[in-house]
Amino acid sequence: MKNCIILGSARSGTSMVAGVLSKSNYFMGKNLIGPNRFNPKGNLESIDINELNNSIIHVSLTESRIPKDLPRYAAWLYELPLEMRITSPTPFDDQIASLTKQEPYCFKDPRFSYALPAWQPYVNDAIYICVFREPDKTIDSIVKAAKYYHDVEFSEERASNVWIQMYNHILESHKDTEELLFLHFNQVIAGDGIEKLREMTGADVDKSFPDAMLSKSASMENVPEQCTNIYKKLCELAGYESKLK
């Protein structure tokens, strides 16, 4: 099996993709987060890796760039423009090297959208899986999750900016990368995305993990034009026929 890192903003379907791969012999990190209201099957993220990526992000930012209204462990809600790209090396290289030696691994954390450049010197032959869904669904869910996890009143505008910046970082960091699989949430639900995962990773995929009940209708109304443009680009890269004109 190939090592892999799952990318994408929170609430985009990354937990579902991790679940499809979870029954394979992947090391996903220690202290995995269990089931909760937003991820009834667990989100399959390692608390240790979340904390490490938080540290990588913070050490790369000036204090003035760190949102004062968010907990310091909530970097999954940060809005980092492309000019604030994180670079390697960092003070955490030994921790990264130790984790990536435990092969085969499959790591998942929305903070990878920003922190991945610090990991890239150590990921060996890892492939990247970028998961996304309609931005209006994701934005709405981010707003609700921010309240649930951190008791933070997070506006749709801020959630939109998080979505925009995370996918901008992913697209910019991997525009020349061949080992990158783009997957729309609906492709995984339909099953063809699971087959793509199996072919690319060589893993024993769990076709029963996705829950079609989680797929809700989308209006795409009141979504910033930049979101719509990025979404269309992601759909093109995933070979997914978007209904947007």
Side-chain angles (χ1 to χ4, degrees):
M1 295 190 302
K2 290 188 176 181
N3 301 319
C4 58
I5 294 179
I6 301 173
L7 306 169
S9 78
R11 315 306 307 148
S12 61
T14 55
S15 297
M16 177 176 60
V17 170
V20 169
L21 299 173
S22 63
K23 289 189 176 179
S24 298
N25 189 32
Y26 275 122
F27 171 66
M28 293 187 156
K30 298 179 180 179
N31 299 318
L32 297 183
I33 299 173
N36 57 47
R37 169 185 165 188
F38 283 93
N39 287 289
K41 294 185 178 182
N43 69 7
L44 299 170
E45 287 179 20
S46 163
I47 294 174
D48 298 343
I49 291 176
N50 287 356
E51 291 177 349
L52 175 56
N53 281 336
N54 267 312
S55 297
I56 291 169
I57 291 170
H58 281 136
V59 79
S60 303
L61 300 178
T62 61
E63 191 67 26
S64 64
R65 291 285 193 172
I66 299 174
K68 299 300 187 291
D69 63 333
L70 294 176
R72 293 182 72 91
Y73 56 82
W76 67 278
L77 291 173
Y78 285 12
E79 310 161 44
L80 303 186
L82 283 175
E83 60 267 24
M84 293 172 61
R85 291 185 67 200
I86 290 168
T87 59
S88 181
T90 73
F92 310 102
D93 286 2
D94 288 345
Q95 295 178 52
I96 296 172
S98 176
L99 286 164
T100 53
K101 284 180 181 178
Q102 302 187 63
E103 301 179 301
Y105 60 77
C106 177
F107 299 144
K108 174 243 176 188
D109 179 6
R111 299 165 186 82
F112 273 122
S113 303
Y114 299 140
L116 188 59
W119 289 70
Q120 285 178 313
Y122 303 95
V123 297
N124 303 320
D125 61 344
I127 62 171
Y128 305 107
I129 303 165
C130 176
V131 189
F132 66 99
R133 67 190 307 186
E134 295 88 350
D136 63 326
K137 294 181 182 180
T138 310
I139 290 163
D140 178 66
S141 193
I142 287 174
V143 170
K144 293 175 181 176
K147 179 66 175 178
Y148 176 79
Y149 288 115
H150 309 305
D151 197 25
V152 172
E153 296 292 345
F154 210 69
S155 69
E156 289 187 0
E157 181 180 1
R158 288 183 73 178
S160 298
N161 288 335
V162 171
W163 192 93
I164 288 168
Q165 299 301 352
M166 285 196 164
Y167 286 105
N168 269 340
H169 275 261
I170 293 169
L171 290 168
E172 178 64 25
S173 296
H174 301 287
K175 60 186 178 182
D176 299 320
T177 302
E178 293 184 2
E179 293 295 295
L180 176 57
L181 174 64
F182 288 89
L183 282 179
H184 193 291
F185 180 97
N186 292 343
Q187 289 176 307
V188 182
I189 291 292
D192 53 327
I194 295 179
E195 183 59 23
K196 289 181 180 180
L197 279 172
R198 186 193 64 78
E199 292 176 356
M200 196 162 187
T201 64
D204 183 15
V205 295
D206 181 1
K207 296 181 179 179
S208 68
F209 192 90
D211 184 354
M213 295 297 291
L214 297 176
S215 182
K216 302 177 182 179
S217 61
S219 66
M220 296 296 290
E221 295 179 0
N222 302 319
V223 172
E225 183 178 0
Q226 192 174 2
C227 282
T228 302
N229 292 337
I230 293 171
Y231 175 68
K232 288 180 178 178
K233 176 64 174 178
L234 292 169
C235 287
E236 178 184 345
L237 290 167
Y240 179 78
E241 185 175 355
S242 169
K243 296 179 181 180
L244 299 181
K245 301 299 182 182

